[in-house]
Amino acid sequence: MRDRNFLVENNAKPIWHPMAHPAEMRTQPPRIVMKGEGVEVTDIDGKTVIDAVGGLWNVNLGYSCDPIKQAIADQLSALPYYSGFRGTSNGPSIELAYELTEWFKPEGMVRAFFTSGGSDSVETALRLARQYWKIKGQADRTKFLALKKGYHGTHFGGASVNGNANFRRNYEPMLPGVFHIPAPSTYRNPFNETDPAKLAQLCAAAMEEEITFQGADTIAAFIMEPVLGAGGVIVPPDSFMKLVREICDRHGILMIADEVVTGFGRTGAWSGSRLWGVKPDMMTMAKAITSGYFPLGATLIGEQVAEAFEADTTTFGSIGHGYTYSGHPVGCAAGLAALAETRRLKLDENAAARGEDLAQALAALKAKHPLVGDVRGKGLMAALELVADRDTKKPADKKTMTKVADVAYEAGVMLRVSGNNLILSPPLILTSADVKRIAEGIDAGLSAAG
């Protein structure tokens, strides 16, 4: 690798960064992360901080998981790549598909379609949903329903079902036939309702109304994150996902659970769907499937959808969709090792326990700092929503958010800023001592900005 001076001089110049303004990155270059160990990362200046972001929701096993590294090295030696398109396959992809369908058997999943990541997995689910209805002879079912504040990736399909204008405005017009219903957020919702059970009913009623207006026989699928991630870690009322499952069943609409963030233990359960007691028709996976060690994703398919495709005798059942790296042998080998470690370490249980520690620590910060308007979380996914005024809920400005994150970093904690939210998604191997360090870093940031 080139020396430090070269990296600093060229930081954010020949490279454009995702989710950032190129001009801003050039004037305020991003931090250069050079090493990772356990739950910590070290920057180019040698400063080591606890990674409360977990890479990007995905490094559940931390940065020192030797079984995954060894699996990658071994597979590179045996077979670094071969196509999974019609006519060929590879051992790791067959084995990982089996493991995934076994892992998510309680959710009713029976097949796996491999992708390169979360956006790919969502795109696959949306396409398969439309194709399913063509197989069933209901070709008018092309529309999608989704939640405002939801995030489903960056492809045109995923961006279209996204419920956040930040990911849509600059790329419009989006995919036609996508309609959004209010997110079940007790802190911000159009009904001014703070009671979770009542809010769930109101949002479900809004969904029913939209279905009636559009015509149920024109809607292919409803997609949601069991806990909304990038939209600010919005934890739905306990009853909400079951309510929308019932609505989908009543109107014959497929239900897609976007588990890219919530899959493999982050909420304290192996999936968000399992957390809420729901069996979706499809699930999208990525991120923790390899703990971030290799780009890989999967769309998991329930029995009803699988049967329709596999029983089809027309051309409608032929899948004209896929990726060069679908079922990549190295990625699948990484996934097998990651899932084995995830199960061995019982990361779902640790996420639940440490999530309780984190919730208590964040509640204490809210009590101490007027800058904190709301604290939300489930397991080891959490957010602090910062406000300029608690009564009006006016969002904190960008300068304030930057100050909090910068001071926290100097205090030894890497945070992620999303709008006026501080997003926390640390590795699931976190300890109680790590939670305390994270809270202390945030406390320092809030004190400096407040």
Side-chain angles (χ1 to χ4, degrees):
M1 182 179 289
R2 306 261 188 126
D3 64 19
R4 178 187 183 281
N5 290 338
F6 175 88
L7 297 177
V8 172
E9 174 63 27
N10 288 278
N11 188 15
K13 291 180 179 176
I15 181 175
W16 276 6
H17 289 267
M19 304 299 180
H21 195 301
E24 182 180 342
M25 290 295 96
R26 289 177 73 90
T27 57
Q28 299 176 342
R31 296 184 177 95
I32 304 174
V33 178
M34 298 296 289
K35 296 179 182 179
E37 183 175 354
V39 298
E40 297 176 326
V41 292
T42 302
D43 68 22
I44 198 167
D45 295 316
K47 183 173 182 59
T48 297
V49 299
I50 190 167
D51 182 17
V53 188
L56 192 63
W57 308 93
N58 57 343
V59 189
N60 286 11
L61 288 159
Y63 295 93
S64 304
C65 188
D66 289 334
I68 305 178
K69 297 176 183 179
Q70 190 60 53
I72 289 172
D74 291 345
Q75 188 58 44
L76 282 171
S77 295
L79 180 68
Y81 172 76
Y82 208 81
S83 165
F85 277 33
R86 179 177 54 193
T88 53
S89 190
N90 65 75
S93 68
I94 297 170
E95 189 175 354
L96 183 57
Y98 174 83
E99 290 293 334
L100 288 172
T101 53
E102 286 295 303
W103 193 301
F104 295 108
K105 187 175 287 185
E107 288 83 351
M109 298 299 105
V110 298
R111 302 289 186 267
F113 186 99
F114 287 115
T115 72
S116 301
S119 293
D120 290 348
S121 296
V122 168
E123 202 75 6
T124 298
L126 297 177
R127 296 189 73 179
L128 292 180
R130 281 188 171 179
Q131 187 175 359
Y132 169 84
W133 289 113
K134 286 182 170 59
I135 294 170
K136 300 291 285 184
Q138 298 184 49
D140 284 347
R141 285 188 181 262
T142 61
K143 298 174 184 175
F144 297 106
L145 298 178
L147 294 177
K148 294 178 180 178
K149 300 293 186 182
Y151 180 80
H152 303 288
T154 57
H155 297 337
F156 260 98
S160 298
V161 292
N162 276 352
N164 190 321
N166 292 339
F167 308 114
R168 300 166 54 89
R169 178 66 185 271
N170 294 344
Y171 308 99
E172 291 175 336
M174 306 305 290
L175 187 73
V178 178
F179 305 94
H180 293 84
I181 64 173
S185 167
T186 53
Y187 188 63
R188 295 183 189 274
N189 64 75
F191 312 107
N192 294 316
E193 181 58 69
T194 58
D195 180 82
K198 291 180 181 178
L199 178 61
Q201 291 288 346
L202 289 167
C203 291
M207 181 177 174
E208 286 269 21
E209 183 180 13
E210 190 65 35
I211 291 170
T212 299
F213 179 75
Q214 297 296 332
D217 61 347
T218 69
I219 300 171
F222 168 76
I223 184 169
M224 70 169 285
E225 302 163 276
V227 176
L228 283 68
V233 188
I234 297 170
V235 183
D238 293 350
S239 60
F240 181 71
M241 197 170 180
K242 281 187 177 179
L243 283 174
V244 296
R245 173 74 271 188
E246 292 167 4
I247 292 169
C248 287
D249 287 342
R250 190 156 58 249
H251 296 287
I253 297 167
L254 296 178
M255 183 176 188
I256 302 168
D258 186 343
E259 301 267 9
V260 169
V261 166
T262 52
F264 304 106
R266 182 157 293 282
T267 65
W270 285 134
S271 75
S273 298
R274 197 176 306 186
L275 175 73
W276 303 126
V278 169
K279 289 186 177 183
D281 296 295
M282 285 187 274
M283 298 168 68
T284 60
M285 295 284 173
K287 293 193 184 292
I289 197 171
T290 67
S291 196
Y293 283 52
F294 197 95
L296 187 75
T299 302
L300 303 184
I301 299 148
E303 190 168 2
Q304 174 183 319
V305 176
E307 285 181 355
F309 276 81
E310 293 173 7
D312 178 69
T313 57
T314 74
T315 59
F316 285 124
S318 179
I319 299 173
H321 169 78
Y323 306 97
T324 298
Y325 299 116
S326 290
H328 194 294
V330 180
C332 290
L336 288 166
L339 297 194
E341 282 297 283
T342 296
R343 183 181 283 111
R344 183 182 73 82
L345 295 173
K346 299 179 180 178
L347 291 192
D348 58 334
E349 295 179 10
N350 195 59
R354 299 294 75 75
E356 288 294 327
D357 295 341
L358 184 61
Q360 291 176 20
L362 298 184
L365 291 176
K366 180 183 177 183
K368 179 179 179 181
H369 298 281
L371 193 57
V372 181
D374 193 36
V375 168
R376 304 182 287 270
K378 196 71 176 178
L380 282 177
M381 56 188 303
L384 295 89
E385 183 165 346
L386 305 191
V387 293
D389 182 272
R390 277 188 176 176
D391 292 333
T392 64
K393 300 182 182 180
K394 180 182 178 182
D397 60 22
K398 186 174 182 179
K399 182 179 178 181
T400 300
M401 301 303 299
T402 301
K403 181 71 171 178
V404 174
D406 286 348
V407 173
Y409 188 82
E410 291 306 311
V413 179
M414 174 83 83
L415 299 175
R416 180 187 176 201
V417 173
S418 178
N420 67 315
N421 296 296
L422 296 176
I423 304 289
L424 304 177
S425 51
L428 303 192
I429 59 171
L430 212 66
T431 66
S432 294
D434 295 328
V435 172
K436 184 178 179 181
R437 285 176 60 195
I438 291 171
E440 290 171 349
I442 298 172
D443 188 19
L446 293 171
S447 296

